Amino acid sequence: MSFPLLTATAVLPAAGALLTAAVPAARRTAAKWLALLVSLGTLVLAAIILIRFEPSGDRYQLTESHSWIKDFGVRYELGVDGIGVALIALTALLIPFVIVAGWNDADPLDKKDNKRWRPTQGFFALILMVEAMVIISFEATDVFLFYIFFEAMLIPMYFLIGGFGDRAHSGTDEAAATQRSYAAVKFLLYNLVGGLIMLAAVIGLYTVTGTFSLAEIAELRANGGLEMSTNVERLLFLGFFFAFAVKAPLWPLHTWLPNAMGEATAPVAVLITAVVDKVGTFAMLRFCLQLFPEASKWATPAILVLALISIVYGALLAVGQRDIKRLVAYASISHFGFIILGIFAMTSQGQSGATLYMVNHGISTAALMLVAGFLISRRGSRLIADYGGVQKVAPVLAGTFLIGGLATLSLPGLAPFVSEFLVLVGVFAAYPVVGVIATTGIVLAALYVLVLYQRTMTGPVKAEVSGMKDLKARELTVVVPLIVLLIGLGVFPKPLTDIVNPAITHTMHDVNKQDPKPEVEAAK
């Protein structure tokens, strides 16, 4: 029996979470180092998965399959395709940076502050538990197994948002606690409602197919043994898609995200939008398109409209924001619109670009949000108006903030540009009018990023920031690797596209779609 590599990659952070939580309260530093070492160990396992994965091999590799709840046909089945491998690598890569960036976020401000903040150990244990659940969600090839962890990850996220909120709050302590509680409950309720609707669809799928296994359902379809009426397929698709659209988040199911990211600490905000939300868009590719190909094509026009609204609406609201973190949140809503647009363009370029966008958006958002967190922790305010002239007193902080912002607006030469370009190429090939409208999001992105930089970093130095210190060694350890990745994948994205493209070919085959031929043939 071969080593269960996929299981180990999820079990290690879960076990690490339990051990971290068990560290005595007086040993905060030990708990931090334990969590960091566990996250680095998980990164090593993810790297092994990346090395062992063969893009030209079987669709799902490193598979594991064991009977679990036999009476209900539930199996413990894991496997990864190129899309799953890329997102597991992203998750394992970002968690160490999240831990290092949040090194002091859960420490009490002083001895009297102990009652206000949950134990430091709990903060890092919850981060590791989220990592474990996200990774196994990217690995699960049994629908019911996926559903369990898709829902279970809400619990640690709820406590991270509500229990370890951002200390840079403009109101009183009581007001801050109320806002954190509101954001956490809203996050939980939105996602629980989506999950309950999905549960009904999961049960309906089992009623029709008699199995939760993706492999068995694919075999039934290939052999003509899958009897699913058009109306049933559409209803089941809507049940799955609704839950994924909440998680993604897609307009109009997005309203929980600005609250959650605004009230969470910067590292937890990165965990939300760069890691957890990717499960929603990933699941659209793995489950919606694979399980319900005809319903996916039926719903495409409506989904494209919703994605366009997300792009433009999110960007417009980002332009008008006064809060740095909420600006990044609305920018992410716009970016998720591009991802969903690429998925449902039903072209290989669009879906390849969407997958790359998931990875590159995770890196660019992590860079921008973490630097913003370092900035906010120094000034104690999230309001853009409270800053000015930072580049004169903290040039490295300002420079890294600028690079993160330029990546967010998809500047050529940085990784998100490749993703956005591929998405737009794929969309223009199939839906030219949709592509034209989507490009307005690019213009608006340049506006909100450059205005944010101008208002916070340039101009006269405000008295409140005149003594601001530049980035420290710990903070540079977080930011510099992310910037290197943004530049590296922007200049040479081929290693990532080589992993992703074969999986996209399988997905295109699932929905029986081919890329549109160009109207004008290239000259030979």
Side-chain angles (χ1 to χ4, degrees):
M1 180 179 178
S2 60
F3 179 73
L5 182 58
L6 299 185
T7 295
T9 309
V11 167
L12 178 59
L18 297 177
L19 291 174
T20 302
V23 174
R27 301 296 184 97
R28 289 191 182 92
T29 302
K32 296 174 184 179
W33 280 106
L34 175 59
L36 179 59
L37 290 174
V38 169
S39 69
L40 291 174
T42 306
L43 179 58
V44 170
L45 292 178
I48 295 173
I49 292 174
L50 194 61
I51 293 169
R52 291 186 58 183
F53 182 78
E54 297 179 7
S56 60
D58 295 337
R59 180 172 189 174
Y60 294 112
Q61 300 178 32
L62 305 175
T63 56
E64 302 173 30
S65 180
H66 308 281
S67 179
W68 183 20
I69 309 175
K70 190 173 182 180
D71 292 341
F72 296 98
V74 180
R75 298 186 62 81
Y76 177 80
E77 286 191 346
L78 305 180
V80 287
D81 60 2
I83 302 168
V85 166
L87 293 174
I88 289 170
L90 172 70
T91 302
L93 175 71
L94 291 182
I95 296 301
F97 296 129
V98 166
I99 290 173
V100 175
W103 200 254
N104 301 317
D105 284 358
D107 290 347
L109 294 173
D110 52 53
K111 292 183 179 179
K112 296 180 181 179
D113 193 50
N114 276 308
K115 293 181 180 180
R116 287 181 52 216
W117 300 93
R118 294 179 185 274
T120 303
Q121 292 86 333
F123 178 74
F124 294 101
L126 289 169
I127 290 173
L128 290 176
M129 190 57 71
V130 171
E131 179 182 24
M133 293 177 178
V134 169
I135 286 175
I136 203 166
S137 296
F138 291 141
E139 297 173 344
T141 55
D142 181 278
V143 177
F144 193 80
L145 179 68
F146 169 83
Y147 171 78
I148 289 174
F149 291 98
F150 179 81
E151 286 293 275
M153 71 179 70
L154 302 179
I155 305 304
M157 285 306 308
Y158 168 81
F159 287 111
L160 282 170
I161 297 167
F164 300 92
D166 191 355
R167 287 166 167 163
H169 198 282
S170 58
T172 63
D173 291 344
E174 184 178 351
T178 301
Q179 290 296 323
R180 287 197 303 271
S181 177
Y182 172 78
V185 170
K186 190 174 184 179
F187 162 82
L188 187 63
L189 288 179
Y190 267 68
N191 284 276
L192 277 178
V193 170
L196 288 173
I197 292 174
M198 181 183 169
L199 177 60
V202 169
I203 295 170
L205 179 68
Y206 179 76
T207 301
V208 173
T209 64
T211 180
F212 294 111
S213 170
L214 285 179
E216 292 180 5
I217 293 173
E219 186 176 353
L220 283 173
R221 178 172 280 114
N223 296 333
L226 183 59
E227 297 181 2
M228 188 184 302
S229 69
T230 300
N231 289 337
V232 168
E233 181 176 347
R234 290 177 179 179
L235 285 173
L236 295 179
F237 167 85
L238 290 174
F240 277 75
F241 181 79
F242 183 85
F244 303 152
V246 173
K247 185 86 78 180
L250 179 68
W251 184 92
L253 305 171
H254 68 284
T255 59
W256 62 268
L257 183 65
N259 297 102
M261 288 184 66
E263 297 305 321
T265 64
V268 173
V270 169
L271 195 63
I272 294 169
T273 191
V275 176
V276 172
D277 287 355
K278 297 301 187 300
V279 177
T281 46
F282 162 81
M284 291 179 188
L285 279 166
R286 172 165 285 188
F287 296 103
C288 286
L289 270 60
Q290 185 173 344
L291 294 174
F292 315 110
E294 295 305 318
S296 297
K297 290 186 282 190
W298 161 77
T300 288
I303 294 172
L304 293 180
V305 171
L306 294 178
L308 279 178
I309 295 173
S310 287
I311 291 169
V312 179
Y313 173 84
L316 284 173
L317 286 185
V319 171
Q321 286 303 304
R322 296 180 295 173
D323 182 309
I324 297 174
K325 291 169 70 179
R326 289 178 71 90
L327 185 152
V328 178
Y330 280 111
S332 290
I333 291 169
S334 182
H335 294 149
F336 274 103
F338 274 107
I339 294 171
I340 296 169
L341 197 69
I343 292 171
F344 284 90
M346 301 289 185
T347 61
S348 60
Q349 299 98 330
Q351 292 186 354
S352 178
T355 305
L356 263 64
Y357 215 133
M358 293 185 222
V359 175
N360 295 333
H361 170 264
I363 300 170
S364 63
T365 299
L368 181 60
M369 179 59 84
L370 292 178
V371 177
F374 299 147
L375 176 70
I376 292 167
S377 67
R378 284 161 165 74
R379 174 66 177 83
S381 173
R382 307 194 315 241
L383 299 179
I384 297 171
D386 288 341
Y387 296 87
V390 173
Q391 67 179 13
K392 295 177 182 177
V393 296
V396 177
L397 189 155
T400 54
F401 189 81
L402 178 61
I403 295 173
L406 293 176
T408 298
L409 64 81
S410 299
L411 183 77
L414 298 176
F417 169 76
V418 179
S419 317
E420 204 162 88
F421 178 78
L422 282 173
V423 167
L424 289 174
V425 167
V427 172
F428 269 106
Y431 305 96
V433 175
V434 173
V436 170
I437 299 172
T439 55
T440 60
I442 301 174
V443 178
L444 292 171
L447 181 61
Y448 61 69
V449 167
L450 296 178
V451 169
L452 171 65
Y453 183 83
Q454 180 189 35
R455 292 178 177 175
T456 55
M457 302 295 165
T458 65
V461 179
K462 290 200 171 185
E464 294 83 358
V465 303
S466 60
M468 183 176 289
K469 296 181 180 179
D470 216 335
L471 294 182
K472 302 175 183 177
R474 173 179 64 85
E475 296 164 334
L476 288 171
T477 302
V478 172
V479 176
V480 171
L482 294 175
I483 290 175
V484 170
L485 279 171
L486 287 173
I487 297 171
L489 290 175
V491 174
F492 189 61
K494 188 175 184 297
L496 189 54
T497 57
D498 286 347
I499 293 172
V500 165
N501 285 342
I504 297 302
T505 300
H506 286 295
T507 304
M508 291 286 289
H509 181 266
D510 289 335
V511 293
N512 193 26
K513 294 284 287 187
Q514 293 182 343
D515 291 330
K517 293 183 178 180
E519 295 183 5
V520 179
E521 295 289 341
K524 296 182 180 179

